[in-house]
Amino acid sequence: MKWLKRLGAALLFLPVMLVVVFVIYEIFGMCMNHITTKEQTDTLRGNLENEISDIEIVNVYLETGNTSGTGNHVDCLSSITFSTEMQESEIEACMSKYYVFDEWGCYVRKRDGCYMIQIITSAPFPDNIEGH
């Protein structure tokens, strides 16, 4: 009879443990996605500063989540606004050894006398709750 009580308690406890494991996994995924976005942004900033001698960083923006609004996925978005005397084509040429410019995942745009470079990549945990 004692083993039957233990089996019943284990069967009742199992769903609770599965929910706890799932929540911990989602939180871990969120943390890893945010860390990846920060590293991506820091790398982008370092590459810009190494390649463009007269760069002046105006703004740094990063976002982790569903940036396109389509589907259930998580993206890592890094956007840096900066000023330089270089032209857009020169910026793309010197940054092309690090990134592939494709007008969606990576591009340079001129706005209000400054340039903005933006990179969007898939997060390491793309099916995380942040993408919903």
Side-chain angles (χ1 to χ4, degrees):
M1 198 61 165
K2 207 177 209 184
W3 65 272
L4 195 57
K5 286 183 182 179
R6 288 183 182 162
L7 180 64
L11 288 175
L12 289 174
F13 188 65
L14 186 62
V16 172
M17 280 306 298
L18 290 174
V19 168
V20 168
V21 167
F22 177 75
V23 168
I24 289 171
Y25 176 77
E26 288 294 318
I27 291 171
F28 174 77
M30 288 172 59
C31 292
M32 292 307 296
N33 288 343
H34 284 269
I35 289 169
T36 301
T37 304
K38 173 130 178 48
E39 287 176 357
Q40 174 180 287
T41 306
D42 291 345
T43 301
L44 175 60
R45 184 178 188 148
N47 291 339
L48 284 169
E49 289 173 342
N50 286 338
E51 295 297 324
I52 303 172
S53 60
D54 66 335
I55 191 167
E56 184 179 325
I57 304 287
V58 176
N59 186 29
V60 177
Y61 176 76
L62 55 132
E63 178 182 343
T64 305
N66 188 343
T67 58
S68 67
T70 58
N72 297 331
H73 65 282
V74 181
D75 297 319
C76 300
L77 180 140
S78 302
S79 179
I80 298 180
T81 306
F82 61 95
S83 62
T84 182
E85 293 298 319
M86 294 175 77
Q87 297 300 313
E88 188 173 324
S89 59
E90 294 173 310
I91 295 168
E92 286 185 6
C94 69
M95 296 301 288
S96 65
K97 62 182 161 186
Y98 304 108
Y99 307 104
V100 176
F101 292 90
D102 61 2
E103 296 302 317
W104 171 250
C106 181
Y107 59 87
V108 176
R109 297 264 194 300
K110 186 165 187 171
R111 287 184 167 172
D112 303 326
C114 292
Y115 292 99
M116 181 188 73
I117 187 167
Q118 184 167 308
I119 297 174
I120 301 172
T121 59
S122 181
F125 290 85
D127 206 18
N128 193 268
I129 192 72
E130 284 182 301
H132 297 273

